[in-house]
Amino acid sequence: MPVPQLTNCRHDRRKRALITLAGEIGLESAPLLRAALARCLSDGIRIVDVDLTPVTFCDGGGLNAFLHTEQRTIEAGGIQRLHDPPTSVERIIELTGCGFPLPGLPLRHLTPSLGDVPAPAAPGLPHRSVPPAPVLSGDAR
């Protein structure tokens, strides 16, 4: 069986990064996701916005990777926010009741802040701590 493809593209601005993920996020591709987000922290990034618009699939392994990286980001004094998740990601978050923060702010409002102008304050973005969760499995297609 072929390994699901997941690509990521990262754009930095000072201590903020926008990571766009494309493809499938599952048990096989979760290590790539964890490594990409861990690199942000090791590079001094403390605000990580993750664009999920091009994600076609996410299972419990992908959700577990997000929960893991969320916890590491909090421990480093930062925040991680998921934007524009596909229905499958919203559904798995809803079904598991993990309480992962999904801001309602459309991602297009964040893009200019990655240029040369100062980043605007993002109004009303709730952020809450997510307790570590056990490894999840399943399929939310």
Side-chain angles (χ1 to χ4, degrees):
M1 171 179 260
V3 175
Q5 295 295 310
L6 178 67
T7 60
N8 71 78
C9 180
R10 176 176 150 185
H11 298 281
D12 293 349
R13 181 173 180 274
R14 297 186 189 116
K15 295 193 181 285
R16 184 177 200 155
L18 170 63
I19 296 179
T20 300
L21 299 175
E24 299 183 3
I25 307 171
L27 287 174
E28 296 85 10
S29 58
L32 174 65
L33 170 62
R34 286 182 187 211
L37 295 172
R39 268 192 307 277
C40 285
L41 295 178
S42 68
D43 291 345
I45 301 294
R46 292 299 175 259
I47 299 174
V48 181
D49 290 296
V50 182
D51 177 11
L52 299 172
T53 305
V55 170
T56 57
F57 170 78
C58 182
D59 67 6
L63 178 62
N64 192 48
F66 283 122
L67 292 170
H68 172 82
T69 57
E70 168 75 3
Q71 191 62 39
R72 299 296 83 74
T73 305
I74 291 168
E75 290 168 359
I79 57 174
Q80 173 184 284
R81 298 178 292 211
L82 305 182
H83 297 272
D84 300 321
T87 305
S88 63
V89 175
E90 286 180 345
R91 181 90 170 117
I92 197 167
I93 289 170
E94 178 185 314
L95 288 172
T96 60
C98 68
F100 200 93
L102 289 171
L105 184 67
L107 190 58
R108 68 181 175 274
H109 292 290
L110 298 175
T111 308
S113 68
L114 295 173
D116 293 329
V117 296
L125 289 178
H127 182 75
R128 52 191 162 178
S129 178
V130 179
V135 173
L136 302 171
S137 63
D139 189 332
R141 287 185 198 206

